Amino acid sequence: QCLTLNLIWLKASVSCAPPNVRIIHSGHTCNIEEERYTERVYTIREGETLELTCLVSGHPRPQIRWTKTAGSATDRIQDSSVFNETLRITRIQRHQGGRYYCKAENGLGTPAIKSIRVDVYYLDDPIVTVHQSIGEAKEQFYYERTVFLRCAANSNPPVRYSWRRGREFLSQGSDKGVEIYEPFFTQGETKILKLKNLRPQDYANYTCTASVRNVCGIPDKSVLFRLTNKTASPTIKLLVEDPIVANPGQTVILVCIISGGEPTPTLTWVRNTEELPKKSILKSDTLTIPAISTEDAGVYSCVASNNVGNPAKKSTNIVVRALKKGRFWITPDPYHNDDNIQIGREVKISCQVEATPPEELMFSWLKNGRPLRSSERMVITQTDPDVAPGITNLDIIDLKFTDFGTYTCVASLKNGGIPEISIDVNISSTTVPPNLTVPREKSPLVTQEGDTVELQCLVSGKPKPIILWSHADKEAPMPDGNMQTESYDGVLRIVNVSREMAGTYRCQTSQYNGFNVKPREAIVELIVLYPPAVEPVYTEIRQGLGRPFSLSCRVLRAHPSKVLDYEWKLGTRLLTVGQLDTRDETEYHIRALNREGYGAYTCDIKNEAGAGRCTFLVTGKAYAPEFYYDTYSALWQNKPRVYGFKLQWTQMNPNAVDRVMAYRLGIKQTGHQRWWEQEIPIEDNIQKGELLTYNLTELIKPEAYQVRLTPITRFGEGDSTERIIHFTPVNPPWSKFHCDFEEDTICMFTQDKTEEFDWTRHSAATRDTKYTPNTGPSSDRTGSKQGFYMYIETSRPRLEGDKARLLTPSFNVAPKNPYGNVATNPTYCFSFYYHMYGKHIGTLNVYLRQKSQTGQDTSVWTLSGNQGDRWRQARVNINPTSSFQMVLEGIRGSGIEGDIAVDDVTIEEGECQDPPPSSSESLASPAAVHIWELCLTLLLVLAGLRR
């Protein structure tokens, strides 16, 4: 396929424009409402596909971002972004309703933002719950029994309920023994059927129907409940002890039996607020937990429900035996200010163990392997077994040499099944309190980022306690995430050290496994060396030949930061070296760039930990051109099978490099492999913002084409940019344009958002039952109640004088040669049907808007006041001199009975057949009335002459 190409230059800098957006919809919408002129409400059924498209204009091409915030109450804060023109959500769920924003920005002015509120409609199955109340005794034998049937269903919009008893519809007042009401605190969410003083006929089948009035095609849903004299809330029995104490590895079986309830209750098992263990086995009314572990412990509940009364619940606590964390500490005589153990003074040995269950914990003591009993000098005590963790103390009064030896604390559980925990403590002349020191070579400790380092504190004394490591210079967690890290050998090992880990660390003794005395402390300083962090890490510099420029590399941080060396290179060739003493940056100057000066420049700034590198890619490549997407009437058709397209673009930063001498244009049909290419020579310098135009003709309908544009300079090819050209007949073929508004796209009409409100697409069949009477059409122009038309809604909050403007698509003035001028101004007939019925009708105006007359709309037709409850046709000749649009303007009158409607809009070449008396005046205008009066007078005169 040959392409005819023609180059046109435009010298005006009209290409840069801030962004502008509007939102259109597709997918499975139920309804689109213009809630107010700044926001649209999009209604969709749950499970359908949401598809919103953000149409954007502006140059350079704006970036589009979709965001959604403030959904339902359970989705209060959500911010999910989609960087695309079309937002598509398949099988939309209720929590995805909310307000969606389309934001477009291109760096010019403020970003353009439009929003649309998505309302997701749904209806869940209704549920009936039953409650009863029994009144006080009357005459010692009679009780008043009242039953409440409550129906509830989750829905959007609010649900409406209806009740039936058997086949009989129940309503308030239809039966004295029945009341139907909604609790004020759940208005619209529930409907309660109250059966007062239950009677025999009240035992029946009750059906609750929930309805959302078939909105979005959502059908009604019903639930049946059978009320009998046996209807009762559930009762259950849990055939297990409470609590259940088990050893690890045992199998625990829980059995729950339904002992009453009508209808038959359903059983469920729950564990605290967590899920049941994955290994649990559920079978009928039995829950089996095989090989139970401490992680499976907790409160397990059996819950029975049949929607009558309150659910029945029985619980038991499963306790799994365990012993863990055995520790000890030695306390010297507390009455003397001495941390050492001395003969003749008191010493206490304490032993601590965590036990489950705590009441089964037992302690015993051994000395040198033999049982030790409490005596006057060896006093054994134990804390309250209900307080965890359990602690036992051995007080040795008046220490003697014969008391030296190994004392063993043994912890066990009464009922066994768990291995004992034994803790040995040696008391001798060598038992001394701890002391902490730091090896000289270990502080300050110097390491490099990324290494593994060990901080060390030497602990002396017997026994050696646990060492606790923490930050000494700041409140921050340790590398393992805890505020303190335990060490049994005094070493803190840090893997993959980072610069943030530098600082001072504190090591201190713990009372555990040592002396219960004032903690000993020591400080270790950690110095982390890291290479310089520099900027820019990478940047591209575009320069033309012969131009001077400078490169600068700056140090952000480094350790050590003094006496930094630098070296500049071009590729592998060394350019210069030096040192940074007090400065934090180095520069390299190029006086005049030559061809050998293109390439990658590097600047390495070094210290003893390594080097940071700045990289500069110096190139003469031209920047990418930027396609202009807002071309007015870009597509034209002057042959049956082909179309033409006006391709426009600007050159990004044209003066950054050498002059663009040509563009290489590539074009191919989408889906094909073969590119067709042609070079476009450029004679003059391109200015910033200058709009270039290239006309493509002989494009085959309805194929789409991929276009690629590459600038060429003395350096060679620059960056390319691509776009897709679609065949979209925005400007309709000029045999005839007709729109009856039956499609959602409304024939590509658009709303003028600068006015107070919008026109609304509507049909009589879907009109709200609360519409304003005595105004507006009862059908479309053809008489069909299912047909659609456009109208202005003049009810609140509209005010007198408010305007709504509806714009047709843009039309070209039918040139036979798309590059030529129109020799004579063609005439077109613009016709439409209007309906202006109501005592408050305002005004309907028609304007001609031409591209050549920006900001000046020409009035071609106007009509005011009540014209009766019928559709009438208006026709007017227009003579545009350039591409044009027609504007239908509705102005609100003095009251709410002022709806104006239009339908069947037509534009065709040639003059109107039988045009109205005046193409620029209303039939109801004074001039028109005067003409009709003259005509009537003339008829009367003629009639008199005939007599």
Side-chain angles (χ1 to χ4, degrees):
Q1 176 64 43
C2 297
L3 300 175
T4 303
L5 303 167
N6 185 16
L7 184 65
I8 299 177
W9 288 81
L10 294 180
K11 292 297 184 180
S13 298
V14 297
S15 54
C16 293
N20 186 35
V21 298
R22 66 187 179 97
I23 298 173
I24 63 172
H25 73 90
S26 56
H28 300 88
T29 178
C30 302
N31 188 29
I32 293 287
E33 296 179 4
E34 302 294 334
E35 187 176 72
R36 42 181 95 85
Y37 80 96
T38 57
E39 183 185 38
R40 309 175 77 193
V41 181
Y42 180 109
T43 305
I44 188 170
R45 180 174 174 175
E46 187 174 47
E48 301 288 2
T49 297
L50 170 71
E51 192 167 294
L52 302 174
T53 300
C54 195
L55 298 183
V56 62
S57 62
H59 188 73
R61 185 68 168 171
Q63 185 184 39
I64 297 174
R65 180 186 182 191
W66 281 98
T67 59
K68 182 246 177 177
T69 56
S72 63
T74 58
D75 187 27
R76 186 68 62 189
I77 301 175
Q78 175 184 340
D79 190 348
S80 56
S81 299
V82 177
F83 291 90
N84 199 354
E85 291 185 0
T86 300
L87 173 69
R88 181 181 174 88
I89 302 176
T90 57
R91 297 189 60 80
I92 191 169
Q93 299 301 304
R94 62 194 65 179
H95 70 272
Q96 293 172 306
R99 184 168 296 164
Y100 287 81
Y101 297 87
C102 171
K103 179 180 180 181
E105 53 186 337
N106 63 356
L108 298 176
T110 57
I113 301 175
K114 290 290 184 183
S115 69
I116 186 169
R117 200 176 79 229
V118 176
D119 205 0
V120 182
Y121 279 7
Y122 59 90
L123 174 61
D124 291 344
D125 291 328
I127 297 174
V128 170
T129 56
V130 181
H131 297 270
Q132 70 173 357
S133 65
I134 299 177
E136 297 179 356
K138 296 182 179 180
E139 299 179 3
Q140 299 180 349
F141 66 93
Y142 176 74
Y143 286 87
E144 180 182 290
R145 186 181 181 193
T146 299
V147 173
F148 300 86
L149 279 73
R150 178 177 181 241
C151 187
N154 295 319
S155 73
N156 183 33
V159 70
R160 290 182 182 174
Y161 299 95
S162 59
W163 283 97
R164 279 186 298 150
R165 179 168 54 198
R167 296 183 178 181
E168 174 194 4
F169 278 95
L170 297 176
S171 59
Q172 185 67 28
S174 63
D175 185 332
K176 292 182 179 180
V178 175
E179 286 186 12
I180 302 175
Y181 65 94
E182 296 174 351
F184 73 94
F185 51 87
T186 59
Q187 195 72 24
E189 298 177 4
T190 63
K191 179 73 78 172
I192 292 179
L193 182 67
K194 181 180 178 181
L195 306 176
K196 301 181 293 181
N197 188 15
L198 205 62
R199 305 162 300 177
Q201 63 264 36
D202 293 330
Y203 294 116
N205 292 333
Y206 291 86
T207 302
C208 173
T209 300
S211 173
V212 289
R213 285 78 69 197
N214 203 36
V215 295
C216 287
I218 298 175
D220 296 348
K221 295 187 178 182
S222 299
V223 60
L224 175 68
F225 186 86
R226 182 174 179 81
L227 182 66
T228 70
N229 58 0
K230 295 181 180 180
T231 300
S233 56
T235 57
I236 56 175
K237 293 180 181 180
L238 190 59
L239 305 183
V240 293
E241 297 178 353
D242 183 30
I244 299 174
V245 181
N247 291 328
Q250 286 185 346
T251 296
V252 176
I253 300 176
L254 305 179
V255 180
C256 185
I257 295 178
I258 297 174
S259 56
E262 174 68 31
T264 303
T266 57
L267 281 179
T268 56
W269 287 92
V270 293
R271 171 197 172 200
N272 299 340
T273 57
E274 309 171 48
E275 295 181 355
L276 294 174
K278 293 183 179 180
K279 58 188 176 184
S280 301
I281 302 171
L282 277 169
K283 187 176 181 181
S284 184
D285 54 4
T286 303
L287 172 65
T288 303
I289 308 172
I292 199 165
S293 64
T294 54
E295 290 77 17
D296 302 328
V299 177
Y300 287 75
S301 301
C302 170
V303 182
S305 175
N306 65 351
N307 292 338
V308 178
N310 296 318
K313 181 178 180 181
K314 297 288 186 179
S315 303
T316 184
N317 184 23
I318 298 180
V319 178
V320 181
R321 289 189 176 93
L323 288 173
K324 57 183 179 180
K325 288 191 177 179
R327 292 179 170 181
F328 75 92
W329 58 90
I330 302 170
T331 306
D333 189 346
Y335 303 106
H336 296 80
N337 189 18
D338 194 342
D339 292 343
N340 293 292
I341 296 175
Q342 295 187 23
I343 298 295
R345 293 184 181 177
E346 180 182 341
V347 63
K348 181 195 292 185
I349 306 172
S350 301
C351 178
Q352 174 183 290
V353 173
E354 293 184 8
T356 305
E359 63 271 13
E360 290 190 10
L361 177 61
M362 298 188 305
F363 286 108
S364 61
W365 285 90
L366 304 176
K367 178 184 178 184
N368 297 328
R370 295 182 178 181
L372 186 65
R373 295 183 178 180
S374 183
S375 64
E376 291 184 359
R377 281 203 327 108
M378 299 284 184
V379 181
I380 299 174
T381 58
Q382 184 174 341
T383 58
D384 187 345
D386 292 333
V387 178
I391 298 175
T392 181
N393 298 309
L394 172 61
D395 278 290
I396 304 175
I397 311 298
D398 188 16
L399 184 66
K400 302 180 182 300
F401 282 107
T402 56
D403 296 329
F404 288 168
T406 299
Y407 292 84
T408 304
C409 166
V410 181
S412 61
L413 295 179
K414 289 180 181 178
N415 296 313
I418 299 296
E420 298 176 340
I421 291 181
S422 297
I423 303 171
D424 292 334
V425 183
N426 184 263
I427 300 295
S428 67
S429 58
T430 60
T431 303
V432 294
N435 190 30
L436 282 180
T437 57
V438 178
R440 182 175 299 177
E441 68 278 4
K442 291 293 185 178
S443 183
L445 186 61
V446 181
T447 187
Q448 291 196 13
E449 196 169 37
D451 288 350
T452 297
V453 65
E454 290 186 349
L455 280 63
Q456 186 176 10
C457 277
L458 296 179
V459 56
S460 60
K462 185 179 179 181
K464 292 184 179 180
I466 297 173
I467 302 300
L468 301 177
W469 285 92
S470 61
H471 285 283
D473 56 349
K474 55 189 172 184
E475 283 289 331
M478 297 293 286
D480 63 359
N482 297 315
M483 296 304 293
Q484 286 187 329
T485 300
E486 290 187 355
S487 170
Y488 288 85
D489 58 0
V491 174
L492 175 64
R493 193 169 189 266
I494 304 176
V495 179
N496 193 19
V497 176
S498 66
R499 63 194 67 179
E500 292 78 14
M501 296 178 183
T504 54
Y505 289 78
R506 176 189 296 111
C507 64
Q508 66 180 27
T509 58
S510 164
Q511 71 173 24
Y512 299 121
N513 297 1
F515 274 70
N516 183 20
V517 295
K518 182 179 178 181
R520 273 56 169 168
E521 294 185 357
I523 299 297
V524 178
E525 182 181 2
L526 177 63
I527 299 173
V528 180
L529 305 181
Y530 53 89
V534 297
E535 68 172 7
V537 175
Y538 177 87
T539 188
E540 185 181 67
I541 296 177
R542 306 204 179 200
Q543 283 290 345
L545 292 171
R547 299 181 186 178
F549 64 95
S550 298
L551 308 176
S552 176
C553 184
R554 187 164 72 92
V555 178
L556 299 177
R557 54 191 173 275
H559 193 83
S561 58
K562 295 182 179 180
V563 192
L564 299 174
D565 298 325
Y566 67 82
E567 64 177 25
W568 285 89
K569 288 184 178 181
L570 173 57
T572 58
R573 179 163 60 94
L574 183 64
L575 300 177
T576 184
V577 297
Q579 280 190 344
L580 294 177
D581 297 326
T582 58
R583 297 172 298 149
D584 62 355
E585 65 179 342
T586 173
E587 292 185 346
Y588 184 76
H589 303 280
I590 293 92
R591 295 180 180 177
L593 182 64
N594 54 31
R595 288 191 176 274
E596 291 73 24
Y598 287 121
Y601 289 77
T602 58
C603 173
D604 290 332
I605 300 180
K606 307 174 183 179
N607 64 5
E608 58 186 274
R613 169 171 288 188
C614 296
T615 301
F616 306 87
L617 179 61
V618 178
T619 177
K621 289 174 62 176
Y623 285 99
E626 296 176 306
F627 281 118
Y628 187 62
Y629 286 83
D630 302 329
T631 303
Y632 193 84
S633 301
L635 186 145
W636 72 85
Q637 306 166 66
N638 55 357
K639 294 182 181 180
R641 298 182 180 178
V642 297
Y643 67 98
F645 190 85
K646 186 186 295 184
L647 188 70
Q648 292 186 307
W649 72 93
T650 60
Q651 178 59 44
M652 184 191 301
N653 299 332
N655 300 320
V657 295
D658 293 329
R659 183 180 71 84
V660 175
M661 300 183 296
Y663 285 95
R664 177 168 289 113
L665 173 70
I667 185 170
K668 69 169 184 175
Q669 284 188 19
T670 55
H672 291 211
Q673 298 296 321
R674 184 179 177 183
W675 285 87
W676 179 90
E677 290 190 342
Q678 176 179 334
E679 236 180 57
I680 308 168
I682 303 296
E683 300 298 334
D684 300 327
N685 291 333
I686 301 175
Q687 302 302 316
K688 185 174 182 180
E690 191 171 320
L691 195 63
L692 307 180
T693 302
Y694 206 83
N695 288 321
L696 305 175
T697 61
E698 305 297 324
L699 303 176
I700 302 174
K701 295 180 184 177
E703 300 294 335
Y705 290 84
Q706 185 174 352
V707 177
R708 181 175 62 206
L709 204 57
T710 308
I712 301 173
T713 64
R714 286 190 296 170
F715 178 83
E717 290 190 357
D719 293 337
S720 300
T721 189
E722 296 184 1
R723 70 166 293 182
I724 302 293
I725 294 174
H726 295 279
F727 175 71
T728 52
V730 176
N731 303 311
W734 271 115
S735 58
K736 183 176 181 180
F737 169 80
H738 174 256
C739 183
D740 55 10
F741 304 110
E742 295 302 314
E743 301 296 331
D744 287 345
T745 56
I746 59 172
C747 312
M748 304 187 74
F749 275 70
T750 56
Q751 307 276 3
D752 187 345
K753 292 298 183 181
T754 62
E755 299 299 342
E756 286 80 9
F757 68 116
D758 287 348
W759 290 76
T760 302
R761 177 176 174 265
H762 215 47
S763 74
T766 60
R767 185 166 57 183
D768 194 331
T769 56
K770 298 180 180 179
Y771 77 97
T772 306
N774 304 319
T775 187
S778 57
S779 65
D780 74 348
R781 198 276 302 177
T782 65
S784 170
K785 290 187 177 297
Q786 282 70 39
F788 285 85
Y789 51 86
M790 301 295 290
Y791 87 110
I792 60 168
E793 173 57 65
T794 57
S795 300
R796 294 180 181 178
R798 302 278 66 85
L799 301 175
E800 183 175 2
D802 282 359
K803 297 178 182 179
R805 284 189 158 205
L806 187 66
L807 282 64
T808 69
S810 298
F811 298 93
N812 286 332
V813 182
K816 302 304 180 184
N817 176 4
Y819 319 115
N821 296 322
V822 182
T824 58
N825 295 336
T827 299
Y828 299 98
C829 178
F830 176 68
S831 66
F832 61 96
Y833 283 83
Y834 61 89
H835 189 284
M836 300 172 67
Y837 168 55
K839 64 182 180 181
H840 301 136
I841 290 292
T843 302
L844 177 62
N845 295 320
V846 179
Y847 297 95
L848 172 66
R849 176 178 293 181
Q850 302 188 67
K851 182 181 178 183
S852 60
Q853 300 176 358
T854 304
Q856 296 180 356
D857 294 344
T858 304
S859 176
V860 296
W861 188 92
T862 184
L863 186 62
S864 300
N866 186 359
Q867 304 299 315
D869 187 10
R870 59 173 291 190
W871 287 95
R872 301 172 183 266
Q873 187 182 29
R875 286 174 289 178
V876 60
N877 291 322
I878 56 174
N879 300 95
T881 59
S882 62
S883 297
F884 67 95
Q885 291 176 283
M886 301 304 294
V887 182
L888 293 164
E889 180 185 69
I891 303 177
R892 200 251 197 194
S894 59
I896 62 174
E897 296 181 18
D899 295 352
I900 298 175
V902 296
D903 200 1
D904 285 350
V905 177
T906 303
I907 305 177
E908 56 185 327
E909 283 189 274
E911 293 188 354
C912 297
Q913 302 298 318
D914 300 322
S918 173
S919 62
S920 60
E921 293 181 39
S922 163
L923 292 176
S925 66
V929 172
H930 181 63
I931 292 173
W932 282 107
E933 288 176 348
L934 290 175
C935 291
L936 182 60
T937 303
L938 181 60
L939 288 172
L940 292 173
V941 170
L942 291 173
L945 290 174
R946 287 184 178 180
R947 289 197 186 107

